[in-house]
Amino acid sequence: MSSGNVPLPTKGEPMHKRTWRLVATAATFVALTTAAVGCGSDGGSTASSTTKAGSGEGAKGSTLAVPGDYKTIQEAVDAAKAGDLVLVDEGTYNEAVDVSTADITIRGVDRNKVILDGEFKLENGIRVLDTDGVTVENMTARNYVSNGFFWTGSDRYHGSYLTAYRNGDYGIYAFDAYHGQLDNSYGSGSPDAGFYIGECFKCDAVIDTVVSEYNGLGYSGTNSGGDLYIINSTFAHNRAGMVPNSGSYELCYPGRSNTIVGNTVYDNNYLEGPGIDASLLAQGNGILLAGSINNTVERNLVYDHERTGISAVPFPEDDASDVPPPASDLDKPCDEVKDQDLPEKSPGFVLWPATGNSIVGNVVSGSGLADIAEGTIPEGG
């Protein structure tokens, strides 16, 4: 079953909090030793354009129509200038689009009928690389070897009314990117995560009103945080729901200072698909703070998990590149610490703590081990 059979809201329509079952791949979280601490709780509308297709400069730039003016999305993106709109008509586009022009918008006319299809051969649906101010909205990316929609090294990014399913790594992915927003979007069938924001501090980013299901992880974020808000969203039927974590295999460690508020997280016990990386450890948990510190988890509805509803556990890393930084470095922005020299010799096994977290006002029920838990690992791993 594909998302084309179940229409999703397009730009301008409300994003309802419901789930759409897709045939998807997925992934898993090993039971860490836990000690219970407490118990708590479309439709086809055409997007407006700034000018008529091909009519030249407008108040906010030109509109470049695909396939009217340009046969492929890539050709239109390459021709675009700052302020332009690339408006993509209905159809299936077998291409991997790289964006190198700042301050453009790439918009489909119908989220469910503008489809980028990697045919299990191409790497990324749309990749925005070291480019700022790029908005991508109102379209679908499926069957890519790596990611559906991907911003890296970007500032002022925005993804809205996007669908990403059955991709080989992540659905909608921001890495080393700042001042961004992902909203009204859907991610499914990723062995790693439906949504990911990683390696940024302070991220200054928002994930708002998304649905993520049948992935390895609904949300994953390694070494990210600081004005990072994950709100008003649904994470269901993944191996694990939401897993902010730390590790020296990416820069700007540790993960810290995330705000997770107002989400619905349920039945993340999906074991039928393949899983990679942290998802192989996390199954059966709702919100799992894995070596991530100083987070706020409030007013979420979390239920029906085989292990824990909400838990904070240390994250074990073998052959680590570095140890957790001193407290004095935790407020330093990522660009001040990412180029620091690593130890000449690996410290070996490192246990990233999960301390300083505030878990307040959540409603949690139906957990196999504990509704709210704090985890430990015996000394020596």
Side-chain angles (χ1 to χ4, degrees):
M1 184 178 187
S2 74
S3 66
N5 295 327
V6 185
L8 297 167
T10 60
K11 184 176 172 62
E13 295 179 328
M15 180 70 171
H16 299 293
K17 287 197 172 180
R18 45 182 290 201
T19 56
W20 300 270
R21 186 176 185 89
L22 302 179
V23 176
T25 56
T28 62
F29 206 80
V30 148
L32 298 174
T33 304
T34 58
V37 178
C39 180
S41 58
D42 159 67
S45 61
T46 300
S48 61
S49 58
T50 55
T51 65
K52 292 183 179 180
S55 63
E57 292 296 324
K60 295 184 180 180
S62 300
T63 296
L64 289 67
V66 180
D69 298 328
Y70 297 88
K71 183 177 180 181
T72 68
I73 301 171
Q74 186 68 68
E75 289 175 358
V77 166
D78 290 344
K81 298 179 176 60
D84 285 353
L85 167 67
V86 174
L87 186 63
V88 186
D89 208 348
E90 295 177 10
T92 300
Y93 299 84
N94 305 124
E95 52 180 310
V97 180
D98 281 342
V99 183
S100 58
T101 302
D103 297 304
I104 65 172
T105 295
I106 305 168
R107 178 187 301 160
V109 299
D110 188 305
R111 174 184 187 165
N112 300 296
K113 296 179 182 178
V114 177
I115 300 172
L116 285 77
D117 193 330
E119 301 182 291
F120 303 107
K121 296 182 294 186
L122 302 176
E123 286 292 324
N124 301 286
I126 293 182
R127 181 179 66 165
V128 182
L129 178 61
D130 297 326
T131 305
D132 301 337
V134 174
T135 293
V136 184
E137 58 189 12
N138 220 37
M139 59 180 59
T140 292
R142 70 187 185 194
N143 302 337
Y144 284 90
V145 174
S146 294
N147 312 294
F149 301 98
F150 181 23
W151 288 261
T152 181
S154 301
D155 193 27
R156 298 181 290 106
Y157 64 93
H158 186 201
S160 186
Y161 291 92
L162 300 174
T163 295
Y165 72 93
R166 206 165 53 223
N167 297 297
D169 203 353
Y170 298 95
I172 301 175
Y173 183 17
F175 180 81
D176 187 25
Y178 293 84
H179 309 105
Q181 180 165 318
L182 304 173
D183 63 75
N184 295 288
S185 293
Y186 177 77
S188 182
S190 293
D192 204 310
F195 291 83
Y196 180 95
I197 293 179
E199 195 180 296
C200 54
F201 185 85
K202 296 178 175 180
C203 302
D204 191 15
V206 177
I207 294 178
D208 185 6
T209 318
V210 306
V211 174
S212 186
E213 62 180 1
Y214 298 103
N215 304 284
L217 304 173
Y219 169 79
S220 176
T222 300
N223 301 341
S224 56
D227 296 327
L228 175 53
Y229 299 88
I230 308 167
I231 59 175
N232 305 324
S233 296
T234 299
F235 302 89
H237 311 303
N238 304 286
R239 294 265 179 159
M242 306 176 71
V243 187
N245 77 294
S246 302
S248 62
Y249 55 89
E250 289 182 7
L251 299 176
C252 303
Y253 38 84
R256 58 205 186 270
S257 304
N258 295 274
T259 300
I260 300 171
V261 174
N263 303 285
T264 301
V265 184
Y266 68 94
D267 193 21
N268 290 286
N269 307 299
Y270 179 64
L271 306 181
E272 296 180 9
I276 58 177
D277 299 333
S279 66
L280 291 174
L281 301 173
Q283 65 192 36
N285 294 282
I287 300 174
L288 183 63
L289 308 175
S292 187
I293 65 174
N294 301 338
N295 301 288
T296 297
V297 182
E298 291 188 5
R299 301 189 302 280
N300 300 283
L301 175 62
V302 184
Y303 59 94
D304 291 351
H305 292 97
E306 292 181 356
R307 291 182 175 156
T308 69
I310 303 174
S311 55
V313 299
F315 186 81
E317 183 181 12
D318 291 317
D319 299 319
S321 300
D322 203 355
V323 297
S328 58
D329 283 354
L330 290 179
D331 287 333
K332 292 182 178 179
C334 188
D335 59 6
E336 289 187 14
V337 299
K338 65 191 306 182
D339 294 327
Q340 292 179 353
D341 292 335
L342 296 173
E344 293 185 5
K345 183 179 179 180
S346 168
F349 176 83
V350 169
L351 196 61
W352 296 86
T355 57
N357 297 298
S358 174
I359 302 173
V360 178
N362 303 279
V363 177
V364 189
S365 64
S367 307
L369 293 179
D371 284 337
I372 299 177
E374 181 178 21
T376 61
I377 290 180
E379 187 174 351

